[in-house]
Amino acid sequence: MLCRTWGEAIEADWPPVAEVSDPVGGRHLLVSSHALVREVLGDPVRFRPDNALDALTPIPISALRVLARHGFRLPPTLANNGDESHPRLRALVAEALHPRRVEQQRGWLTDIVRERVVGLTTLLERGEPVDLYADLAADLPLRVLARLIALPESDTAVVKEFSRSALELFWAPLDTARQEQLADTVGRYHTALRQFAATGGGLAGQLRELAGSVDVAVGALFFLLVAGQETTSQFLTLLLHRLVGEPAALAALAGGLVSAADVVEEGLRLAPPIVTWRRVAGVDTILGGTPVPKGTSVVLWLAAAGRDGEIVADRHGFVPGQRGSRRHLAFGAGAHRCVGAQLARMEATVVVEQTATVLGRVAVTGAPWCPDNLSFRMPDRLVVRLAAPGR
């Protein structure tokens, strides 16, 4: 269950804190209560971020050798950095993704999405299927992020292969052969990213200057290219899939009863881009009445926290604008709260605004398939066709 916490298990009634095991033999405390998840995220002394990027499946020597051949090094920088350097590094990234700069991209992104939707609508009206993941959502967040951090234009497919490979290598249950394959993909892109971090301007240059280290700049950019775009393209796909099956929400949106922002927040509550996240107990402590020895792995079930009956009345229904909808923890909380939250919200709002009319006319013929993964759903497609009249 631990690697499919976005599935049927999420609708069951779980205790606030439960001992669980993962498919590779690891033991964890799974925290599902909204209040307790916030407590953990807000206390970096009792619960440290050090294990946030640890591989779920320990990486074997053979795969480590593959990474070493590519000069792979990933010092703590953002998500797993609990020392005094974190606030300064975070501030640089936060400035690059400042809401003011994000908002400046809205018009440009709206034009792109509108043009794509027109093209996809034409195909649908010809009776052809379209893939809303591949043909709409997959590359949008990467294109926006590249403009914000001065990332040079490159083959989108290469970056997407790298980011999805990284999510699988570090967060999925794997066999050795697959780990070696993924290590080569991640290592090859790491080499190119290192060159950019060593010579690039914009955020890369600022990180390099602040840290006095190319390694630190690479680490920050590595995580940003995963968390800053891959998670958002996944969320867009999952949100569009949900909306196709929510005619009442689409009608409320069309009638002005709710806003696109309301729809996005309810989507974040029910299908957050990161389903779980990890912390490690830094001291012997107690959480929700449960003793937690120092060194214990704590898995925070962000998706379940958004469905806590203490924050919303309709826990599992899609009800945009309901009281408590915006209290979700899709972007975490505390010192490590996602700095790209407003970026993801802006992108999702634009996509909802431009696709809502089309979504009300289609039926899903190829639902997203998601592999086993501790923290990410990684949908592979969202194929739709124009629905028959009267459906």
Side-chain angles (χ1 to χ4, degrees):
M1 186 283 294
L2 189 59
C3 285
R4 300 191 76 80
T5 46
W6 43 265
E8 293 179 2
I10 198 171
E11 297 201 6
D13 289 323
W14 280 80
V17 181
E19 292 190 15
V20 294
S21 59
D22 63 45
V24 296
R27 299 290 300 172
H28 314 268
L29 281 185
L30 181 65
V31 183
S32 59
S33 153
H34 183 276
L36 293 182
V37 170
R38 282 195 64 92
E39 179 180 335
V40 172
L41 290 172
D43 193 335
V45 175
R46 291 166 62 212
F47 301 99
R48 294 185 55 81
D50 306 23
N51 66 337
L53 306 187
D54 288 357
L56 176 71
T57 306
I59 300 178
I61 294 297
S62 57
L64 289 173
R65 286 174 178 159
V66 174
L67 291 171
R69 285 202 299 270
H70 292 288
F72 184 90
R73 295 186 294 277
L74 204 60
T77 52
L78 292 174
N80 61 340
N81 186 349
D83 67 27
E84 65 278 0
S85 67
H86 176 257
R88 299 191 302 275
L89 293 167
R90 178 184 169 85
L92 275 185
V93 177
E95 180 57 32
L97 305 182
H98 192 280
R100 177 191 67 256
R101 302 191 71 226
V102 166
E103 190 59 30
Q104 290 170 355
Q105 307 302 317
R106 185 183 292 269
W108 171 83
L109 180 63
T110 299
D111 289 343
I112 291 178
V113 176
R114 183 182 295 127
E115 181 179 353
R116 289 187 181 184
V117 170
V118 169
L120 294 174
T121 302
T122 299
L123 293 175
L124 287 167
E125 291 177 344
R126 290 177 187 166
E128 299 181 31
V130 300
D131 186 339
L132 296 179
Y133 168 68
D135 300 329
L136 176 63
D139 70 328
L140 286 177
L142 176 59
R143 294 189 63 182
V144 179
L145 184 64
R147 289 167 63 95
L148 290 170
I149 69 172
L151 184 71
E153 289 196 17
S154 59
D155 186 347
T156 299
V158 172
V159 180
K160 298 298 286 185
E161 181 188 25
F162 147 72
S163 57
R164 289 179 71 89
S165 294
L167 294 184
E168 188 177 351
L169 179 61
F170 290 103
W171 284 277
L174 301 167
D175 60 32
T176 298
R178 183 59 176 163
Q179 286 174 301
E180 292 170 357
Q181 180 183 4
L182 293 168
D184 185 58
T185 300
V186 170
R188 280 188 285 107
Y189 189 80
H190 182 273
T191 300
L193 189 61
R194 185 175 183 80
Q195 181 177 358
F196 169 61
T199 60
L203 180 60
Q206 294 169 353
L207 288 166
R208 187 174 64 244
E209 181 179 353
L210 175 66
S213 166
V214 172
D215 286 344
V216 171
V218 171
L221 292 168
F222 184 100
F223 184 71
L224 191 58
L225 280 174
V226 174
Q229 59 89 20
E230 185 61 40
T231 55
T232 306
S233 67
Q234 293 177 20
F235 171 63
L236 293 176
T237 305
L238 297 168
L239 178 59
L240 293 174
H241 181 222
R242 181 75 188 234
L243 284 174
V244 171
E246 298 288 348
L250 290 173
L253 180 62
L257 300 178
V258 299
S259 67
D262 291 330
V263 170
V264 169
E265 294 302 324
E266 188 71 342
L268 287 166
R269 183 182 73 81
L270 290 169
I274 298 178
V275 183
T276 71
W277 205 238
R278 281 175 289 178
R279 287 291 184 265
V280 60
V283 296
D284 292 337
T285 187
I286 295 176
L287 181 66
T290 300
V292 184
K294 180 179 179 179
T296 299
S297 170
V298 179
V299 176
L300 306 173
W301 198 353
L302 305 179
R307 297 172 185 242
D308 191 323
E310 294 296 318
I311 67 164
V312 289
D314 192 334
R315 298 167 57 196
H316 305 301
F318 195 95
V319 188
Q322 71 167 307
R323 184 178 180 86
S325 179
R326 294 171 180 261
R327 292 183 60 195
H328 59 76
L329 297 173
F331 299 115
H336 285 80
R337 186 178 185 278
C338 176
V339 295
Q342 291 307 112
L343 174 59
R345 283 183 164 114
M346 184 276 286
E347 292 166 341
T349 300
V350 168
V351 169
V352 168
E353 290 170 343
Q354 299 302 317
T355 61
T357 302
V358 175
L359 295 177
R361 301 172 57 203
V362 301
V364 175
T365 59
W369 177 80
C370 303
D372 287 354
N373 195 285
L374 177 64
S375 295
F376 304 92
R377 289 185 58 175
M378 299 179 65
D380 61 340
R381 62 177 181 169
L382 175 53
V383 182
V384 299
R385 282 183 180 273
L386 206 61
R391 290 184 59 189

